[in-house]
Amino acid sequence: MNERLLIYQARLSVYALLQRLYQDPPRAELLEWLMAERPFANFPIQLDDEVQTDLKGMDSALTMNTLEDLRLDFMQLFIGPGPMLAPPWESVYRNEEHLIFDRHTLEVREFYARHGMEFIRINQAPEDSIAIELEFMKVLTERVLQALQMDDPEAERILLEEQQAFVRKHLLIWTPDFITMTQTRAATAFYAGLAGVLRGFLNWERQTLALLLDSLTAQGAESESLRSCS
């Protein structure tokens, strides 16, 4: 099977999982699915030893913590009431006043708009939350997969370049502080571990996107050489 296909499928699975876990406080249905499918024990990407420990901790937390434990931790970290322990918006981490809706929010909005996407609550809530940024990357990964299946390497390359730019200019810039804040303030191993998995995956993603683009460039050069000789 095409190696890029396997990588894209794995990336899509991880983005979908992370986006789902950061989107809302967990419900009973999600907890049941996590315990049945055990996505942390069967993670589709091999990450470093520290992340493997985080994944094991998350898997164990599903039986050690109640649904209410997890819901309360999520609320205290990312929603409130009261001061959030780990605000989930990029803009908070990228200005000295720690305010939402700054120029970085507009830059994220421009990325979405270039790909025909708009936040459904635009101007009502910031669209630079971790869940929405992960959802954006998930949608682009779906499109990369479609481009590969349609044998359109140019579209594939453009989408990968856009993902690489978004990771470099946004996700890798602000998430280190968000991750540290979550790891030090989470009340459960589940959300502390989730932060560690996010860190490990984004570092892997940075390296993998570079390798994928190098592979496509080499493939394109080889194709040009073959055409020149024909």
Side-chain angles (χ1 to χ4, degrees):
M1 186 178 289
N2 187 297
E3 183 180 2
R4 294 206 309 280
L5 175 63
L6 295 176
I7 293 173
Y8 295 158
Q9 289 173 336
R11 293 177 65 232
L12 181 58
S13 295
V14 175
Y15 274 121
L17 175 64
L18 293 178
Q19 187 270 333
R20 187 176 183 185
L21 295 178
Y22 277 113
Q23 182 70 54
D24 296 299
R27 298 180 180 272
E29 297 84 357
L30 174 60
L31 196 60
E32 290 170 3
W33 180 83
L34 292 172
M35 294 180 72
E37 298 297 326
R38 300 192 66 199
F40 315 122
N42 302 293
F43 206 66
I45 293 170
Q46 184 67 34
L47 299 174
D48 61 48
D49 290 344
E50 186 176 350
V51 180
Q52 297 303 320
T53 300
D54 288 327
L55 287 166
K56 290 177 183 177
M58 293 180 72
D59 195 54
S60 299
L62 294 174
T63 54
M64 295 175 61
N65 295 113
T66 66
L67 176 61
E68 287 309 310
D69 290 336
L70 297 175
R71 287 183 60 83
L72 179 60
D73 201 18
F74 185 99
M75 297 287 288
Q76 290 177 329
L77 286 167
F78 310 129
I79 297 180
M84 284 168 279
L85 299 180
W89 300 290
E90 175 177 349
S91 46
V92 171
Y93 299 88
R94 299 195 67 177
N95 63 76
E96 293 182 359
E97 296 80 17
H98 305 295
L99 300 175
I100 59 174
F101 280 122
D102 74 346
R103 66 179 180 85
H104 301 99
T105 311
L106 300 179
E107 290 172 3
V108 167
R109 183 182 295 177
E110 289 174 4
F111 261 98
Y112 299 165
R114 277 208 299 273
H115 296 277
M117 288 178 257
E118 182 180 84
F119 182 41
I120 59 174
R121 297 181 61 200
I122 192 168
N123 296 324
Q124 299 175 33
E127 56 258 64
D128 60 351
S129 76
I130 185 61
I132 298 168
E133 292 193 3
L134 291 170
E135 183 176 8
F136 173 65
M137 290 293 289
K138 180 188 76 171
V139 172
L140 290 195
T141 304
E142 290 172 341
R143 294 180 182 179
V144 171
L145 188 55
Q146 291 169 357
L148 174 64
Q149 292 168 335
M150 295 176 66
D151 194 22
D152 188 347
E154 181 63 13
E156 191 181 345
R157 180 188 61 78
I158 290 170
L159 287 163
L160 288 172
E161 287 177 346
E162 283 286 280
Q163 288 194 297
Q164 184 181 61
F166 193 77
V167 167
R168 287 178 172 175
K169 294 179 180 179
H170 294 282
L171 284 166
L172 284 175
I173 300 296
W174 73 275
T175 57
D177 288 339
F178 168 69
I179 287 164
T180 298
M181 199 172 286
T182 304
Q183 288 176 318
T184 56
R185 297 179 178 182
T188 64
F190 186 87
Y191 285 106
L194 178 60
V197 173
L198 178 64
R199 174 196 62 78
F201 173 65
L202 289 177
N203 286 334
W204 178 90
E205 180 78 332
R206 173 179 55 81
Q207 298 170 4
T208 301
L209 284 167
L211 291 172
L212 288 166
L213 283 166
D214 286 346
S215 172
L216 274 174
T217 301
Q219 177 181 301
E222 181 180 349
S223 178
E224 286 296 325
S225 297
L226 289 172
R227 279 200 293 269
S228 298
C229 294
S230 60

